[in-house]
Amino acid sequence: LPVSAAPRALRRPDAAARMEEEEDEDSGGRRAAGSSAAPARFVRCLYAVGFLDLFGVSMVVPLMNLHIKSLGASHTVAGIIGSLYGVMQLFSSTFVGCWSDIVGRRYSLLACILLSALGYFLLGTSTTVSLFVIARVPVGVFKHTLSISKALLSDLVSERDRPLVMGRFNAASSVGFILGPVVGGYLAEFEGGFYQTAFICASIFLLNGGLVWMLPWSEENTGNRKHYQNKGTNSFSAKSNHDLHLKSATSRAVTNSSFFQSPWIQVATVLKKIKGIACSNLWDIFLVRFLMSVAILLYYSNFTLALEERFGVKPLFAGYLMSYSSALGVLAGCLLGPITRLYGHNTYRLLLHSSTFTCVLILLYASALSIWMVILSSTFLAFSTTIGRTCIIDLELTVGGNEASGTLLGVGQSVTSVGRIIAPLLAGIAQEFSPCGPPSLAVGLALVAIVIMNANKQKYCSHGSVKLKNQ
């Protein structure tokens, strides 16, 4: 071949070639979320899906206890109905997440959004306790929009970009969760406000379904193919490149064919995938997620009551403090990109440090002598819990492999649901001894989680970062 036809990389000096490779790698780390892994428009649309989901839900949820009591239910019945949602989420999270792996993200996401819209529409017609319970069933079974959206983001972006994209998705969802109660509280002031709020929530879910339907799915597939073809020239190994090719092909195949399979075949495939997760060596990751979830839930379980008993502050101040923490959580989600780059994309180390910091902050709250120490702990706890929540999801997906991201996220959601069921019971028992009992118990659980992470350090750390391990 003539010299001019030879690749430029072969004609450059070695030092210049290495310099260009390093520049390419650095610029890749600085790209905006989704720009290298998928069309940016697709990723931004998913951010909007997460925002609308929690915006609609948070409009209704704060008003539900008042509504169920206005229908004549006792406190015990209201508590049982409230627990019903958590129980349904416990059993449905894994199945729906696994189902999304089989039939594809598009159809499963649409089904969950539309059936949730049906549930909130029924909630808007609930004039008796029985109708209220019936309305909670489709929402409890199919309200997994956020989990499937995260699985879709995991399919779209590279492993390096995943914490940044997940953090921004959580931030967008948290903004909806902050704004929703304000709008719902305003609407509740009118006559029949709860019913109007429920119908508006159902309309928001229908709008969300239309947004998902109009997403540029063909553009996403094209972007994925281009992205996977270019992977070999970046910092990923040949094995990672092969895994990404396989994941893309598998995702397109199930989207086109599996949705139309027999329901019995789909159920059998779901059970097979769940068995594979149950027999894997991910038990310690899920145990860490469970312990940290219960610890954080214990911190918030009696927050308002404990502040009133310990410092004499009014519930309004506690509400402002929790809204302040939620706003800081949004900021923490936006800062995940620089933080992960600071840690060299070492998810395990970042999770370990954030969990340790969370444990110290809860201890500071439990031993606080003034309200200013509580404000200080709440400020930094918003950052540590947001970072830890994103890191544990990223670690599940990284260690669990690429082929069952929906199943992994579903199992993780079920683990968190168990924590939501157990935490109020533990908080009630600990509260009998002291107002500081729940956070003190939370410190102990967080310490156990940290010990488990340290005991399994070699499992996740290799050459400075966690490694892929396919199922």
Short mmCIF file of all heavy atoms in Angstrom, two decimals, residues 206-242:
data_model
loop_
_atom_site.label_atom_id
_atom_site.label_comp_id
_atom_site.label_asym_id
_atom_site.label_seq_id
_atom_site.Cartn_x
_atom_site.Cartn_y
_atom_site.Cartn_z
N LEU A 206 -51.26 9.69 31.76
CA LEU A 206 -51.59 9.51 30.34
C LEU A 206 -50.66 10.34 29.46
O LEU A 206 -50.22 9.89 28.40
CB LEU A 206 -53.05 9.91 30.09
CG LEU A 206 -54.11 8.98 30.68
CD1 LEU A 206 -55.51 9.55 30.44
CD2 LEU A 206 -54.00 7.57 30.07
N LEU A 207 -50.37 11.57 29.90
CA LEU A 207 -49.41 12.40 29.18
C LEU A 207 -48.03 11.74 29.14
O LEU A 207 -47.34 11.74 28.12
CB LEU A 207 -49.31 13.78 29.85
CG LEU A 207 -48.26 14.74 29.32
CD1 LEU A 207 -48.56 15.12 27.88
CD2 LEU A 207 -48.19 16.00 30.20
N ASN A 208 -47.66 11.13 30.26
CA ASN A 208 -46.38 10.42 30.31
C ASN A 208 -46.36 9.24 29.35
O ASN A 208 -45.35 8.96 28.70
CB ASN A 208 -46.12 9.94 31.74
CG ASN A 208 -44.67 10.08 32.15
OD1 ASN A 208 -43.85 10.58 31.40
ND2 ASN A 208 -44.35 9.64 33.35
N GLY A 209 -47.49 8.51 29.27
CA GLY A 209 -47.58 7.41 28.33
C GLY A 209 -47.43 7.87 26.89
O GLY A 209 -46.77 7.22 26.07
N GLY A 210 -48.05 9.02 26.56
CA GLY A 210 -47.88 9.57 25.21
C GLY A 210 -46.45 9.96 24.93
O GLY A 210 -45.94 9.76 23.82
N LEU A 211 -45.76 10.49 25.95
CA LEU A 211 -44.35 10.84 25.78
C LEU A 211 -43.50 9.60 25.51
O LEU A 211 -42.63 9.61 24.63
CB LEU A 211 -43.85 11.56 27.03
CG LEU A 211 -42.36 11.95 27.07
CD1 LEU A 211 -42.03 12.89 25.93
CD2 LEU A 211 -42.01 12.60 28.42
N VAL A 212 -43.76 8.53 26.25
CA VAL A 212 -43.01 7.29 26.03
C VAL A 212 -43.30 6.72 24.63
O VAL A 212 -42.40 6.23 23.95
CB VAL A 212 -43.37 6.26 27.12
CG1 VAL A 212 -42.79 4.89 26.79
CG2 VAL A 212 -42.86 6.73 28.47
N TRP A 213 -44.55 6.80 24.21
CA TRP A 213 -44.91 6.27 22.89
C TRP A 213 -44.19 7.03 21.77
O TRP A 213 -43.79 6.46 20.77
CB TRP A 213 -46.42 6.36 22.69
CG TRP A 213 -46.88 5.87 21.34
CD1 TRP A 213 -47.20 6.61 20.25
CD2 TRP A 213 -47.03 4.51 20.96
NE1 TRP A 213 -47.55 5.81 19.20
CE2 TRP A 213 -47.46 4.50 19.61
CE3 TRP A 213 -46.86 3.30 21.62
CZ2 TRP A 213 -47.72 3.33 18.91
CZ3 TRP A 213 -47.12 2.13 20.93
CH2 TRP A 213 -47.54 2.15 19.60
N MET A 214 -44.01 8.34 21.97
CA MET A 214 -43.39 9.17 20.94
C MET A 214 -41.87 9.25 21.06
O MET A 214 -41.23 9.96 20.28
CB MET A 214 -43.98 10.58 20.99
CG MET A 214 -45.44 10.65 20.58
SD MET A 214 -46.07 12.34 20.48
CE MET A 214 -45.93 12.85 22.19
N LEU A 215 -41.29 8.55 22.02
CA LEU A 215 -39.84 8.56 22.13
C LEU A 215 -39.20 8.04 20.83
O LEU A 215 -39.74 7.14 20.19
CB LEU A 215 -39.39 7.67 23.30
CG LEU A 215 -39.48 8.26 24.71
CD1 LEU A 215 -39.12 7.21 25.74
CD2 LEU A 215 -38.56 9.46 24.85
N PRO A 216 -38.06 8.58 20.45
CA PRO A 216 -37.40 8.16 19.20
C PRO A 216 -36.72 6.80 19.35
O PRO A 216 -35.50 6.69 19.39
CB PRO A 216 -36.38 9.27 18.96
CG PRO A 216 -36.06 9.80 20.32
CD PRO A 216 -37.34 9.69 21.12
N TRP A 217 -37.53 5.74 19.41
CA TRP A 217 -36.98 4.41 19.65
C TRP A 217 -36.07 3.96 18.52
O TRP A 217 -35.04 3.32 18.75
CB TRP A 217 -38.11 3.40 19.85
CG TRP A 217 -38.91 3.65 21.07
CD1 TRP A 217 -40.07 4.36 21.16
CD2 TRP A 217 -38.60 3.24 22.42
NE1 TRP A 217 -40.51 4.41 22.46
CE2 TRP A 217 -39.63 3.73 23.26
CE3 TRP A 217 -37.55 2.51 22.98
CZ2 TRP A 217 -39.63 3.51 24.61
CZ3 TRP A 217 -37.57 2.29 24.35
CH2 TRP A 217 -38.59 2.78 25.15
N SER A 218 -36.42 4.27 17.26
CA SER A 218 -35.54 3.90 16.15
C SER A 218 -34.22 4.64 16.23
O SER A 218 -33.16 4.09 15.96
CB SER A 218 -36.23 4.22 14.82
OG SER A 218 -36.55 5.60 14.74
N GLU A 219 -34.28 5.91 16.66
CA GLU A 219 -33.05 6.67 16.83
C GLU A 219 -32.20 6.09 17.95
O GLU A 219 -30.97 6.05 17.86
CB GLU A 219 -33.42 8.13 17.15
CG GLU A 219 -32.22 9.05 17.34
CD GLU A 219 -32.66 10.46 17.66
OE1 GLU A 219 -33.75 10.86 17.23
OE2 GLU A 219 -31.90 11.15 18.36
N GLU A 220 -32.88 5.60 18.98
CA GLU A 220 -32.14 4.97 20.09
C GLU A 220 -31.42 3.72 19.62
O GLU A 220 -30.26 3.49 19.96
CB GLU A 220 -33.13 4.64 21.21
CG GLU A 220 -32.54 3.85 22.37
CD GLU A 220 -32.82 2.36 22.23
OE1 GLU A 220 -33.86 2.02 21.68
OE2 GLU A 220 -31.99 1.56 22.67
N ASN A 221 -32.07 2.89 18.81
CA ASN A 221 -31.42 1.68 18.32
C ASN A 221 -30.25 2.02 17.42
O ASN A 221 -29.19 1.40 17.48
CB ASN A 221 -32.43 0.82 17.55
CG ASN A 221 -33.42 0.13 18.47
OD1 ASN A 221 -33.12 -0.10 19.63
ND2 ASN A 221 -34.61 -0.16 17.97
N THR A 222 -30.42 3.05 16.55
CA THR A 222 -29.33 3.46 15.68
C THR A 222 -28.16 3.99 16.49
O THR A 222 -27.00 3.67 16.24
CB THR A 222 -29.83 4.54 14.69
OG1 THR A 222 -30.92 4.01 13.95
CG2 THR A 222 -28.72 4.96 13.74
N GLY A 223 -28.50 4.82 17.49
CA GLY A 223 -27.45 5.35 18.35
C GLY A 223 -26.73 4.25 19.09
O GLY A 223 -25.51 4.29 19.26
N ASN A 224 -27.45 3.24 19.54
CA ASN A 224 -26.83 2.12 20.22
C ASN A 224 -25.86 1.39 19.31
O ASN A 224 -24.75 1.04 19.70
CB ASN A 224 -27.90 1.15 20.71
CG ASN A 224 -28.30 1.42 22.14
OD1 ASN A 224 -27.59 2.10 22.85
ND2 ASN A 224 -29.45 0.93 22.53
N ARG A 225 -26.27 1.13 18.05
CA ARG A 225 -25.40 0.39 17.14
C ARG A 225 -24.12 1.16 16.86
O ARG A 225 -23.04 0.60 16.87
CB ARG A 225 -26.16 0.11 15.83
CG ARG A 225 -27.23 -0.96 15.95
CD ARG A 225 -27.69 -1.42 14.58
NE ARG A 225 -28.41 -0.38 13.89
CZ ARG A 225 -29.72 -0.20 13.97
NH1 ARG A 225 -30.45 -0.97 14.75
NH2 ARG A 225 -30.32 0.77 13.29
N LYS A 226 -24.26 2.49 16.63
CA LYS A 226 -23.07 3.30 16.40
C LYS A 226 -22.18 3.33 17.63
O LYS A 226 -20.96 3.27 17.55
CB LYS A 226 -23.47 4.72 16.01
CG LYS A 226 -24.14 4.81 14.64
CD LYS A 226 -24.54 6.25 14.34
CE LYS A 226 -25.22 6.35 12.98
NZ LYS A 226 -25.64 7.74 12.69
N HIS A 227 -22.84 3.43 18.77
CA HIS A 227 -22.08 3.50 20.03
C HIS A 227 -21.30 2.22 20.26
O HIS A 227 -20.13 2.25 20.62
CB HIS A 227 -23.07 3.73 21.17
CG HIS A 227 -22.47 3.62 22.54
ND1 HIS A 227 -21.46 4.43 22.98
CD2 HIS A 227 -22.75 2.77 23.56
CE1 HIS A 227 -21.14 4.11 24.20
NE2 HIS A 227 -21.91 3.10 24.59
N TYR A 228 -21.92 1.08 20.03
CA TYR A 228 -21.25 -0.19 20.27
C TYR A 228 -20.14 -0.42 19.25
O TYR A 228 -19.12 -1.01 19.55
CB TYR A 228 -22.27 -1.33 20.20
CG TYR A 228 -23.34 -1.22 21.24
CD1 TYR A 228 -24.65 -1.60 20.95
CD2 TYR A 228 -23.07 -0.72 22.50
CE1 TYR A 228 -25.65 -1.49 21.90
CE2 TYR A 228 -24.06 -0.60 23.45
CZ TYR A 228 -25.33 -0.98 23.15
OH TYR A 228 -26.32 -0.87 24.08
N GLN A 229 -20.31 0.07 18.00
CA GLN A 229 -19.27 -0.09 17.01
C GLN A 229 -18.04 0.73 17.36
O GLN A 229 -16.92 0.35 17.03
CB GLN A 229 -19.80 0.33 15.64
CG GLN A 229 -20.84 -0.64 15.07
CD GLN A 229 -21.53 -0.09 13.85
OE1 GLN A 229 -21.25 1.02 13.43
NE2 GLN A 229 -22.45 -0.85 13.31
N ASN A 230 -18.24 1.86 18.03
CA ASN A 230 -17.12 2.73 18.37
C ASN A 230 -16.50 2.39 19.71
O ASN A 230 -15.53 3.02 20.11
CB ASN A 230 -17.59 4.19 18.40
CG ASN A 230 -17.99 4.68 17.02
OD1 ASN A 230 -17.46 4.20 16.02
ND2 ASN A 230 -18.92 5.62 16.97
N LYS A 231 -17.07 1.44 20.41
CA LYS A 231 -16.58 1.14 21.76
C LYS A 231 -15.13 0.66 21.74
O LYS A 231 -14.37 0.92 22.65
CB LYS A 231 -17.45 0.07 22.41
CG LYS A 231 -18.68 0.63 23.09
CD LYS A 231 -18.29 1.43 24.27
CE LYS A 231 -19.52 2.04 24.91
NZ LYS A 231 -19.16 2.87 26.05
N GLY A 232 -14.77 -0.09 20.71
CA GLY A 232 -13.43 -0.65 20.69
C GLY A 232 -12.35 0.40 20.64
O GLY A 232 -11.21 0.13 21.00
N THR A 233 -12.65 1.63 20.17
CA THR A 233 -11.64 2.67 20.07
C THR A 233 -11.50 3.47 21.34
O THR A 233 -10.64 4.32 21.44
CB THR A 233 -11.99 3.63 18.92
OG1 THR A 233 -13.24 4.24 19.22
CG2 THR A 233 -12.09 2.87 17.61
N ASN A 234 -12.38 3.23 22.32
CA ASN A 234 -12.32 3.97 23.57
C ASN A 234 -11.68 3.13 24.65
O ASN A 234 -10.94 2.19 24.37
CB ASN A 234 -13.72 4.45 23.98
CG ASN A 234 -14.23 5.50 23.01
OD1 ASN A 234 -13.44 6.26 22.46
ND2 ASN A 234 -15.54 5.54 22.81
N SER A 235 -12.00 3.42 25.90
CA SER A 235 -11.30 2.79 27.01
C SER A 235 -11.86 1.44 27.39
O SER A 235 -11.37 0.83 28.33
CB SER A 235 -11.38 3.72 28.24
OG SER A 235 -12.72 3.94 28.58
N PHE A 236 -12.86 0.92 26.70
CA PHE A 236 -13.43 -0.37 27.05
C PHE A 236 -12.64 -1.49 26.40
O PHE A 236 -12.11 -1.36 25.30
CB PHE A 236 -14.90 -0.45 26.61
CG PHE A 236 -15.81 0.28 27.53
CD1 PHE A 236 -16.07 1.62 27.33
CD2 PHE A 236 -16.40 -0.35 28.60
CE1 PHE A 236 -16.89 2.31 28.18
CE2 PHE A 236 -17.24 0.33 29.45
CZ PHE A 236 -17.48 1.66 29.24
N SER A 237 -12.63 -2.63 27.07
CA SER A 237 -11.93 -3.78 26.54
C SER A 237 -12.74 -4.46 25.46
O SER A 237 -13.91 -4.16 25.25
CB SER A 237 -11.66 -4.78 27.67
OG SER A 237 -12.89 -5.27 28.17
N ALA A 238 -12.12 -5.42 24.76
CA ALA A 238 -12.82 -6.15 23.72
C ALA A 238 -13.98 -6.95 24.30
O ALA A 238 -15.03 -7.09 23.69
CB ALA A 238 -11.85 -7.09 23.00
N LYS A 239 -13.79 -7.47 25.53
CA LYS A 239 -14.87 -8.24 26.15
C LYS A 239 -16.07 -7.36 26.47
O LYS A 239 -17.21 -7.73 26.23
CB LYS A 239 -14.37 -8.90 27.43
CG LYS A 239 -15.50 -9.67 28.13
CD LYS A 239 -14.98 -10.78 28.93
CE LYS A 239 -16.08 -11.68 29.47
NZ LYS A 239 -17.34 -11.05 29.78
N SER A 240 -15.82 -6.14 26.98
CA SER A 240 -16.92 -5.23 27.24
C SER A 240 -17.63 -4.86 25.94
O SER A 240 -18.85 -4.74 25.90
CB SER A 240 -16.40 -3.96 27.92
OG SER A 240 -15.86 -4.28 29.18
N ASN A 241 -16.84 -4.68 24.88
CA ASN A 241 -17.43 -4.36 23.58
C ASN A 241 -18.34 -5.49 23.11
O ASN A 241 -19.45 -5.26 22.63
CB ASN A 241 -16.30 -4.11 22.57
CG ASN A 241 -16.82 -3.54 21.26
OD1 ASN A 241 -17.86 -2.90 21.25
ND2 ASN A 241 -16.10 -3.78 20.19
N HIS A 242 -17.89 -6.74 23.29
CA HIS A 242 -18.70 -7.88 22.90
C HIS A 242 -19.97 -7.96 23.74
O HIS A 242 -21.06 -8.23 23.22
CB HIS A 242 -17.89 -9.17 23.07
CG HIS A 242 -18.71 -10.41 22.94
ND1 HIS A 242 -19.18 -10.87 21.73
CD2 HIS A 242 -19.16 -11.29 23.88
CE1 HIS A 242 -19.87 -11.98 21.92
NE2 HIS A 242 -19.88 -12.25 23.22
#
